Amino acid sequence: MDIIYVDNAATTKMSGAAIDAMIPYLDKCYGNPSSLHTVGQLAQEALVKAREDVAKAIGAEPREIFFTSGGSEADNQALLTGAERGELRGKKHIISQKTEHHAVLHALRRLEKQGFEIELLEGDV
């Protein structure tokens, strides 16, 4: 039976090139980059190089590159960091859409409990 997968917004199959590029890190260099042992330090070196490569590819500084485990974590990091930076400038009003992903809506609810004004627009805007 052939399978047709249409939920690429949730999870997308990795390309063969991406899989090939990841094999060394899944097989030999899989340590926790915060660890002091050899496998961890090899992972740390790989992480630093990956950050430098991504930064170079997009014209950024390595310190500006953050890797997350997935979309929900990235949504939370972006929203909570943006809100924190805005609050430092006296800005506590956030506009989003009712149709946002639940990870975004949950983060917005959290911010609302912290005193932010959250405005959710209809999804067809």
Side-chain angles (χ1 to χ4, degrees):
M1 174 174 88
D2 289 330
I3 295 175
I4 298 173
Y5 184 75
V6 296
D7 194 15
N8 286 292
T11 305
T12 302
K13 179 181 177 182
M14 287 180 70
S15 71
I19 292 170
D20 290 345
M22 284 301 301
I23 291 295
Y25 305 102
L26 299 171
D27 185 40
K28 303 248 187 289
C29 189
Y30 53 84
N32 178 342
S34 297
S35 297
L36 298 177
H37 51 67
T38 301
V39 176
Q41 290 305 292
L42 290 172
Q44 174 64 15
E45 290 172 16
L47 184 60
V48 167
K49 182 173 181 338
R51 187 171 279 116
E52 290 170 350
D53 290 348
V54 170
K56 183 177 180 182
I58 65 170
E61 294 295 324
R63 64 181 168 73
E64 297 174 302
I65 305 301
F66 294 88
F67 297 115
T68 64
S69 64
S72 294
E73 182 182 352
D75 289 342
N76 276 277
Q77 182 177 341
L79 274 171
L80 299 177
T81 301
E84 180 180 294
R85 306 242 6 226
E87 186 175 27
L88 292 173
R89 296 186 326 207
K91 298 184 182 288
K92 295 187 74 170
H93 182 198
I94 299 172
I95 301 171
S96 189
Q97 290 185 306
K98 292 179 181 179
T99 56
E100 268 294 354
H101 188 276
H102 70 274
V104 171
L105 295 174
H106 290 170
L108 291 173
R109 274 192 232 123
R110 174 179 165 187
L111 290 167
E112 190 169 41
K113 289 177 183 176
Q114 294 175 2
F116 283 82
E117 179 187 351
I118 307 300
E119 184 178 350
L120 296 178
L121 304 176
E122 295 299 323
D124 58 352
V125 175

